Amino acid sequence: MTITGNLISIVLDFDNFILLYIQRNMHGHIMDKAMVVITSLGNVGAIWILIAALLMISKKHRKIGFMVLVSIVISTILGEGIIKHIVQRIRPSDISSANRLIAEPSSYSFPSGHAAASFAAAGILAKYFKNYAPQIFGLAALIAFSRLYLYVHYPTDVLAGIILGLICSRITIHMFNRFNKNLK
C-alpha cells in the first residue's frame, strides 16, 4: 500500500472510531431530540443569517451583520460549490444502516457546510462581541458536533468545515479592513 493509501486508511479508521464511539456512548432519547433541533439551527446557516439580519437592523452593528453574511457566502461558495465537488466524499450514512434521525443530505460530505457556515459566522461575531465569544463558539461547536451525532459527516469533514469557516472569517475581516483603508 502506498503512503497516501496508508494515510487515507488511518484517517478513515479514526473517523469511524469516533463515529462508532458517539453512536455507542452518547445516543439517547433526549440527546436525539436535542441534536435534531441543534442541527436544524444550522440548516442553510439559518441561525447565523437571523443574527446577521438582527445586527443589520441596528446602524451601529450593520457592518458586522453584513460581514457575517459575506463570510457565510464565501464559505458556501468554497465548501459547497467547489471543494465538495472536487473531493466527492460519500457520507457515513451512505455506507451504514445507522438509525437516521434526519433526512439524508443529498450533497457530498467533505467539508461540512454546517460547520463551515457556523465557524465563518462565529469568527466574525466573536471578534466584534468578545464578551460573548464562548457562547458564540459554543453554539457553532454544537451545530458542528450535531453533524457527527446524526451520522451525516465524518469528524474530518467537520474539522475541515471548522477550518474553512475560520479562514473565511479572516478573509472577510481582511477584505473589510482593506476596503475601509482604501476609503480613507
Side-chain angles (χ1 to χ4, degrees), residues 52-124:
L54 292 172
L55 289 170
M56 290 173 72
I57 291 170
S58 161
K59 188 173 183 177
K60 179 180 177 185
H61 300 298
R62 188 166 292 139
K63 177 183 160 190
I64 299 166
F66 188 63
M67 290 174 73
V68 168
L69 292 179
V70 168
S71 189
I72 291 170
V73 167
I74 293 170
S75 74
T76 301
I77 290 169
L78 293 175
E80 299 292 322
I82 297 172
I83 299 171
K84 279 192 182 196
H85 296 285
I86 292 170
V87 176
Q88 297 184 0
R89 187 178 196 187
I90 62 172
R91 293 180 179 271
S93 53
D94 287 345
I95 56 176
S96 171
S97 60
N99 188 13
R100 292 192 181 99
L101 299 172
I102 60 170
E104 185 172 340
S106 59
S107 65
Y108 293 113
S109 188
F110 184 92
S112 166
H114 279 68
S118 293
F119 279 85
I124 302 290

Side-chain angles (χ1 to χ4, degrees), residues 14 157 170:
F14 167 78
D157 301 338
R170 299 309 310 164

Side-chain angles (χ1 to χ4, degrees), residues 149-166:
Y149 186 93
L150 295 169
Y151 213 68
V152 293
H153 279 292
Y154 291 102
T156 49
D157 301 338
V158 169
L159 180 60
I162 290 168
I163 293 167
L164 175 62
L166 292 173

Side-chain angles (χ1 to χ4, degrees), residues 124-150:
I124 302 290
L125 294 169
K127 175 169 177 53
Y128 294 99
F129 301 104
K130 289 178 175 43
N131 291 340
Y132 298 101
Q135 294 89 339
I136 292 165
F137 280 119
L139 177 58
L142 278 172
I143 291 170
F145 175 76
S146 74
R147 307 308 283 169
L148 301 175
Y149 186 93
L150 295 169

